[in-house]
Amino acid sequence: MHRAFPDVRFERYADDAVIHCRSFAEARAVLAALTSRHMASPSRSAFLSLRESSLA
């Protein structure tokens, strides 16, 4: 992850991870890379925009 996306921060929580992307396009690129390496499942992955949510 760090070699392919050095500017993207992430945290691991047991079998899960939170990946902090700066844009939706960057998030899609990260998910595509992880999916192609069988490290993520698109059906079990979700995008959350903190700019648009009440969590910000």
Side-chain angles (χ1 to χ4, degrees), residues 3-49:
R3 277 184 264 147
F5 300 97
D7 297 330
V8 176
R9 292 184 13 223
F10 72 98
E11 290 93 30
R12 270 196 69 114
Y13 299 98
D15 291 341
D16 297 322
V18 175
I19 302 171
H20 304 270
C21 298
R22 291 185 173 90
S23 69
F24 189 68
E26 183 177 56
R28 285 189 307 214
V30 170
L31 182 59
L34 294 174
T35 302
S36 71
R37 294 181 178 98
H38 302 288
M39 298 174 75
S41 170
S43 64
R44 295 190 62 204
S45 301
F47 295 104
L48 173 67
S49 174

